Amino acid sequence: MSQFIKIYPENPSEKEIDKVVKVLRDGGLVIYPTDTVYGLGCDISNSKALEKIAKIKGIKLEKANFSFICHDLSNISNYVKQIDTSTFKILKKALPGPYTFILPGNNDLPKDFKKKKTVGIRVPDNNIAREIVKKLGNPIVSTSIYDEDEILEYTTDPELIFEKWQNIVDVVIDGGYGTNEASTVIDLSGDEPEVIRVGKGDTDIF
């Protein structure tokens, strides 16, 4: 049975954040709020937890396109190749915000992602998600939680999420209602920025 933890986004409780970080460090799975939809995440360095998420999604881990949730731009350089000035300007302008940026991965990627040519980077404009990552000390690997209901693509009510996921994950964070619009995905791994998916983020800024 998982824990249902209420955290207020305006001023996240350090005690509650610590509880979530402990679960992640122990290889647990956490559902948490972002500035778009609720995400399912685990510690980037925990292979068993990554395998669990891949299994839930019904895909092989090496085929999975998970996002890396980072606290800010400073720890992005640990996972991506050196980025040029124009790419950095785009990231600085858009983040934190409702975007996923696809960037070329570097040789220091964790072992489960070594074969990846590109990685998706997120710095959500949500204090809860970013405080967890900051305290954890490395990114959360994350994927959106879809709903089987065709009308509701994403579940936005934390209590309903808990009802559905309580036997699958270790923690569900109640950080208030989410939105049902995913992040805008921009591919920055080529010569020109390419919009892969239009979501909550405004594409006119690129």
Side-chain angles (χ1 to χ4, degrees):
M1 177 74 169
S2 67
Q3 303 176 65
F4 189 51
I5 300 176
K6 174 81 184 165
I7 301 179
Y8 294 94
E10 299 77 31
N11 191 13
S13 150
E14 200 173 335
K15 191 172 138 225
E16 304 301 351
I17 295 285
D18 285 345
K19 274 189 206 167
V20 177
V21 168
K22 184 181 183 315
V23 168
L24 288 165
R25 284 200 179 122
D26 291 344
L29 306 187
V30 171
I31 289 178
Y32 65 97
T34 70
D35 50 356
T36 57
V37 299
Y38 267 78
L40 165 65
C42 71
D43 185 337
I44 196 170
S45 59
N46 193 302
S47 297
K48 279 191 177 151
L50 290 164
E51 289 284 1
K52 277 191 216 164
I53 290 186
K55 199 173 172 189
I56 289 168
K57 297 292 273 190
I59 44 180
K60 284 196 159 59
L61 183 53
E62 58 272 19
K63 295 250 171 32
N65 288 321
F66 296 143
S67 304
F68 294 4
I69 305 286
C70 299
H71 173 253
D72 56 24
L73 285 178
S74 66
N75 58 357
I76 288 178
S77 56
N78 299 343
Y79 306 99
V80 304
K81 286 182 180 161
Q82 195 167 1
I83 46 184
D84 58 32
T85 314
S86 60
T87 303
F88 186 76
K89 276 184 182 162
I90 290 173
L91 296 174
K92 199 143 176 56
K93 192 173 180 184
L95 298 174
Y99 299 93
T100 302
F101 287 106
I102 297 169
L103 293 158
N106 66 17
N107 297 330
D108 298 328
L109 284 172
K111 61 181 187 300
D112 295 294
F113 300 97
K114 280 284 185 219
K115 291 180 180 159
K116 288 273 178 206
K117 291 206 166 40
T118 58
V119 292
I121 298 286
R122 282 269 277 126
V123 181
D125 189 10
N126 178 287
N127 291 336
I128 298 169
R130 284 173 46 233
E131 280 303 313
I132 291 167
V133 172
K134 188 179 178 185
K135 209 71 192 267
L136 183 63
N138 55 27
I140 300 174
V141 167
S142 182
T143 181
S144 304
I145 56 166
Y146 280 90
D147 205 300
E148 274 76 61
D149 188 320
E150 284 175 12
I151 303 160
L152 285 171
E153 197 175 359
Y154 300 102
T155 307
T156 58
D157 182 340
E159 288 188 9
L160 293 178
I161 293 171
F162 181 67
E163 214 171 275
K164 182 178 169 186
W165 288 84
Q166 60 187 333
N167 298 318
I168 305 168
V169 302
D170 302 282
V171 169
V172 175
I173 296 171
D174 175 0
Y177 275 85
T179 74
N180 58 1
E181 201 176 3
S183 63
T184 289
V185 180
I186 313 276
D187 189 345
L188 295 178
S189 65
D191 296 334
E192 289 290 322
E194 186 188 345
V195 179
I196 306 291
R197 176 180 76 193
V198 177
K200 193 177 172 191
D202 182 5
T203 55
D204 292 345
I205 70 166
F206 304 112

